[in-house]
Amino acid sequence: MYRSFNLMGYRVTGSKCLTICLGFTFIMGCFLASLPIIPSEPTNHQISSTTYSKKKLAIIVPFRDRFEELLEFVPHMYKFLNKQNILFHIFIIQQKDNNRFNRASLINVGFIYTKKDYDYIAMHDVDLLPMNNNLKYGYPKNGPYHISSPQTHPKYHYDTFIGGILLIKQEEFDLVNGMSNNYWGWGLEDDEFYVRLKDAKLKVLRPENITTGPDNTFRHIHDKTYRKRDTRKCFNQREITRHRDRVTGVHDVAYKIHSTHNVSIDSLQITVINVELICNKTATPWCQCPEPPKVKKVK
Ligand code: UDP
Ligand code: MN
């Protein structure tokens, strides 16, 4: 059927209309293509830089019962990392169960939670505050980067020490199956992780040209009488945890996330994740050490 109509006083036929429409579409296309691309703002997390192409850092803090330290940690880290223009967010992985503290499993959970949105993680103790601005938290493109080196850590000085603060790419953490889940209670999980990296031929790099030493590179806000380390050993814990674990890791960490909270400390946003770690009591009965029987005093 042949149709024509009036457009602003002009008599327009079907074929003229098609030409006008195509012309209009072309001009609009050229106009839109010439506009700059504006990246969408990151939502939810408070991020400290405007360069959105930069790599994103998830700070993973294994945590239980360290609230006073957290109140110091968060403002300190914001101030320290903003000076370096690091794009970061802090995730507090809080253990909410009756088992002994398991730093490595909490780090595994933090990794799983953040891996979709972040490029690298910092496994970060809540009580170790970096003080030297030459400690750089940028993307560790050449391999795992141990910020709290044995030369500068306030307490641990052996060569293979990689505890405290370690930066690692998501792919590398995944490649070594994360950390072992066997370490309930204090100690050795970081040494076992060192062996995982070594077996995968991932060389640990450390800051160079640091002129400060063990007394002034970090502040270790850890009062050892008030924050006691859980060094108990029970069942066959000592024997098993002396060895490299080739079975457990990030791929089989058993847990439930009970809740997540966006929390502000001095208006600085962090995310707290409440995690229940599930213990396989056949494999690792030492996730709860029996209380020693009370000895009655003989008068
Ligand atoms: N941690 C915790 N609650 C605990 C034990 C440890 O939150 O009951 C976390 C906290 O982040 C701490 C880290 O695990 O900084 C390492 O533990 P700790 O400070 O006892 O070890 P250190 O390196 O001082 O020997
Ligand atoms: Mn400590």
Side-chain angles (χ1 to χ4, degrees):
M1 199 163 37
Y2 183 77
R3 288 219 174 135
S4 72
F5 58 92
N6 275 313
L7 178 69
M8 289 188 213
Y10 291 97
R11 189 165 179 74
V12 180
T13 62
S15 65
K16 268 190 192 158
C17 176
L18 185 67
T19 317
I20 290 168
C21 287
L22 285 175
F24 182 72
T25 311
F26 177 74
I27 291 164
M28 278 309 287
C30 292
F31 172 70
L32 289 174
S34 71
L35 290 176
I37 297 168
I38 301 165
S40 57
E41 293 274 334
T43 50
N44 193 17
H45 301 152
Q46 187 171 329
I47 275 175
S48 59
S49 169
T50 47
T51 320
Y52 299 121
S53 60
K54 268 196 359 210
K55 302 284 191 190
K56 292 202 279 178
L57 167 64
I59 303 206
I60 310 279
V61 182
F63 186 88
R64 175 152 75 187
D65 185 26
R66 292 284 183 276
F67 191 61
E68 281 164 80
E69 291 83 340
L70 185 66
L71 293 181
E72 275 198 64
F73 177 76
V74 172
H76 181 88
M77 292 311 293
Y78 262 90
K79 201 164 162 213
F80 190 84
L81 295 178
N82 280 344
K83 279 192 217 143
Q84 298 183 20
N85 272 318
I86 302 291
L87 212 52
F88 71 97
H89 189 74
I90 297 174
F91 295 86
I92 305 299
I93 320 295
Q94 172 159 246
Q95 185 171 341
K96 292 282 286 176
D97 53 61
N98 297 326
N99 298 315
R100 297 167 74 200
F101 190 68
N102 189 328
R103 178 176 174 270
S105 290
L106 294 172
I107 292 172
N108 284 339
V109 174
F111 168 82
I112 294 167
Y113 190 85
T114 57
K115 72 173 169 190
K116 194 164 59 60
D117 299 321
Y118 290 80
D119 302 293
Y120 63 118
I121 61 170
M123 299 153 48
H124 213 302
D125 285 0
V126 74
D127 62 7
L128 201 58
L129 311 184
M131 303 306 290
N132 182 328
N133 289 316
N134 292 322
L135 298 169
K136 301 295 182 200
Y137 279 65
Y139 185 64
K141 62 175 190 302
N142 298 321
Y145 191 65
H146 187 217
I147 302 263
S148 51
S149 72
Q151 289 77 36
T152 57
H153 190 280
K155 188 170 164 63
Y156 301 111
H157 305 128
Y158 54 96
D159 277 356
T160 58
F161 173 66
I162 54 162
I165 309 166
L166 182 76
L167 305 185
I168 185 166
K169 291 178 215 170
Q170 297 283 2
E171 310 86 89
E172 288 171 347
F173 190 83
D174 211 20
L175 176 80
V176 301
N177 192 10
M179 300 187 80
S180 168
N181 297 308
N182 290 346
Y183 292 80
W184 304 92
W186 177 88
L188 289 182
E189 79 294 340
D190 44 358
D191 295 340
E192 201 273 348
F193 190 62
Y194 177 84
V195 184
R196 289 181 181 224
L197 297 180
K198 193 164 182 280
D199 286 352
K201 309 244 175 325
L202 293 172
K203 193 174 152 39
V204 175
L205 303 168
R206 296 198 170 106
E208 281 167 13
N209 306 322
I210 299 291
T211 52
T212 49
D215 297 333
N216 53 354
T217 309
F218 298 92
R219 221 148 55 77
H220 190 194
I221 46 172
H222 187 153
D223 178 335
K224 67 176 192 300
T225 45
Y226 182 44
R227 300 297 197 212
K228 286 207 183 332
R229 298 183 174 95
D230 173 8
T231 55
R232 291 170 295 167
K233 299 280 181 276
C234 57
F235 300 98
N236 52 341
Q237 176 180 7
R238 198 182 294 277
E239 173 55 22
I240 301 287
T241 55
R242 279 174 51 220
H243 296 108
R244 159 85 151 94
D245 165 19
R246 293 186 188 278
V247 178
T248 80
V250 72
H251 300 142
D252 70 347
V253 58
Y255 68 101
K256 281 187 200 141
I257 291 185
H258 281 233
S259 58
T260 62
H261 305 267
N262 290 320
V263 173
S264 288
I265 293 178
D266 298 346
S267 312
L268 303 166
Q269 244 191 54
I270 60 170
T271 300
V272 177
I273 303 166
N274 281 327
V275 177
E276 176 192 343
L277 295 177
I278 298 161
C279 170
N280 174 345
K281 286 211 170 162
T282 316
T284 59
W286 57 88
C287 60
Q288 286 174 5
C289 282
E291 291 292 326
K294 287 203 173 81
V295 185
K296 269 197 176 162
K297 275 189 187 161
V298 185
K299 284 189 187 156

